[in-house]
Amino acid sequence: MTALPERPRRLRRTPAIRRLVRETTVDPAGLVLPVFVREGASRPVPIRSMPGVVQHSESSFRATVLAAADARIGGLMVFGVPVARDPHGDAACDEHSVLAEAVRWARAEAGDALPVIADLCLDEFTSHGHCGVLDADGNVDNDATLAVYRRMALAVADAGADILGLSGMMDGQVAAVRASLDGAGRTDVAILAYAAKYASAFYGPFREAVESQLDGDRRAYQQDPANRREALREVRLDVAEGADIVMVKPALAYLDVIADVSAAGDVPTAAYVVSGEYAMVEAAAAAGMIDRERAIMEVLGSVNRAGARIIATYWALEATRLLARA
Ligand code: PBG
């Protein structure tokens, strides 16, 4: 027998020993389920590129809210899919927008038992699909967009959102929305800033989910995937402007960024396992190429291990079931 001073395999011998020395575990209380609600839908509409995910009708959405509250997951992230769009995304500021109504339904079903995060961005509401309004040259006008975000924030806060998810990547958006909320006496509404959001190919299926009208790309406002340090700059600014939670997005292709952000800050770090990351695993599993459930838990485990305990994932409910069984 070889005399080895260290034999790490001793701690891998049985499932119980492995459980004893496990360094991280995914916490269902940190899992946030993104949901799409389609204005006027009378039944759930499947999303071709996201098998298992739907655009909800009112009743299927209400049932999902109850299931999420029952499962005691971390929260819901609500996206509205409107029927009409215009260049200014005006409907986003309507107190009866599909998003505001969905937030009301969620609050009616779950009260305070389930945090409701409302997406705060214009891309679902604009006829050109950009996250803001355009200037005369067709570029996204940062400061004009902030004025719209300020109004949209009040509409969804009044509907009962606990947290606003600022996903537009406009400069100064956190400060603008914070000032708008505070000016209306809504110091209680929190801000989750998509601080480091990259211009990613992995958002492809989401664009189908919200019927995005985007022609072109978002590289003039979302981050360049090649940049790591820049994420810390975005986080520094968002925290200084009043962000309560900062998010990195996508997750799996940006684990280094998640690790940096969680090490740098003192606000909670979240990460979003986006539509393309979901679709990739689902497609490979459907083709019999990988073990679906193990792959799901490995993806979520890696994001958690990198430093994001709060994880937005389309698998939130299923992962919670898998964790309970483990
Ligand atoms: C835009 C938004 C996007 C996602 C969430 N909010 C798409 C984009 O920036 O193009 C993507 C989420 C996903 O892919 O799951 N407000």
Side-chain angles (χ1 to χ4, degrees):
M1 208 179 308
T2 322
L4 284 178
E6 298 208 48
R7 289 184 182 269
R9 287 185 52 187
R10 273 196 283 269
L11 297 183
R12 298 179 197 140
R13 195 171 53 82
T14 67
I17 295 174
R18 292 196 291 272
R19 196 170 63 222
L20 171 72
V21 298
R22 186 157 298 145
E23 295 177 39
T24 61
T25 38
V26 173
D27 184 356
L31 299 180
V32 171
L33 180 69
V35 281
F36 305 103
V37 181
R38 182 178 200 188
E39 187 170 5
S42 53
R43 64 176 63 81
V45 182
I47 300 164
R48 188 193 52 86
S49 54
M50 299 178 74
V53 180
V54 299
Q55 293 176 327
H56 282 288
S57 63
E58 176 178 346
S59 70
S60 70
F61 173 70
R62 286 179 182 269
T64 300
V65 171
L66 288 179
D70 268 359
R72 299 174 64 85
I73 63 168
L76 278 193
M77 182 172 278
V78 185
F79 295 94
V81 185
V83 288
R85 298 178 176 81
D86 67 52
H88 302 108
D90 277 339
C93 301
D94 187 329
E95 60 177 327
H96 296 298
S97 72
V98 56
L99 178 62
E101 293 295 2
V103 167
R104 271 186 201 96
W105 299 333
R107 289 313 288 257
E109 294 296 337
D112 280 339
L114 183 72
V116 177
I117 306 170
D119 184 55
L120 196 130
C121 189
L122 291 184
D123 65 312
E124 291 96 4
F125 294 92
T126 52
S127 46
H128 43 71
H130 277 293
C131 295
V133 295
L134 306 182
D135 64 17
D137 301 325
N139 298 313
V140 176
D141 184 334
N142 193 88
D143 298 13
T145 299
L146 297 185
V148 188
Y149 286 175
R150 294 171 69 111
R151 289 192 288 129
M152 182 179 182
L154 297 182
V156 285
D158 280 351
D162 297 287
I163 302 175
L164 306 186
L166 275 56
S167 64
M169 287 300 280
M170 295 300 124
D171 291 338
Q173 63 183 10
V174 175
V177 167
R178 186 72 268 161
S180 175
L181 291 169
D182 291 356
R186 298 310 306 271
T187 53
D188 57 325
V189 178
I191 292 177
L192 179 156
Y194 287 55
K197 178 173 178 181
Y198 288 88
S200 172
F202 291 107
Y203 305 148
F206 176 92
R207 305 236 170 117
E208 181 195 343
V210 299
E211 301 172 28
S212 171
Q213 308 297 305
L214 185 68
D215 175 22
D217 62 61
R218 306 196 197 289
R219 286 179 234 221
Y221 42 104
Q222 298 179 347
Q223 280 182 249
D224 183 337
N227 295 355
R228 179 170 177 173
R229 271 196 309 174
E230 189 187 21
L232 293 175
R233 183 183 198 197
E234 288 284 359
V235 167
R236 170 172 58 78
L237 292 170
D238 282 358
V239 170
E241 291 177 25
D244 298 289
I245 301 173
V246 290
M247 189 151 80
V248 175
K249 177 183 176 187
L252 200 48
Y254 297 85
L255 295 175
D256 55 338
V257 178
I258 294 172
D260 287 354
V261 168
S262 78
D266 62 0
V267 298
T269 304
Y272 196 147
V273 180
V274 301
S275 57
E277 298 177 301
Y278 174 88
M280 214 161 41
V281 171
E282 292 292 340
M289 294 175 178
I290 57 174
D291 177 330
R292 182 175 171 279
E293 293 182 355
R294 285 187 60 199
I296 291 171
M297 292 319 299
E298 193 170 330
V299 168
L300 299 182
S302 73
V303 174
N304 178 61
R305 188 187 68 233
R309 183 183 153 277
I310 302 174
I311 306 174
T313 168
Y314 301 96
W315 291 304
L317 287 174
E318 182 167 6
T320 298
R321 282 192 292 272
L322 295 176
L323 285 163
R325 220 177 56 192

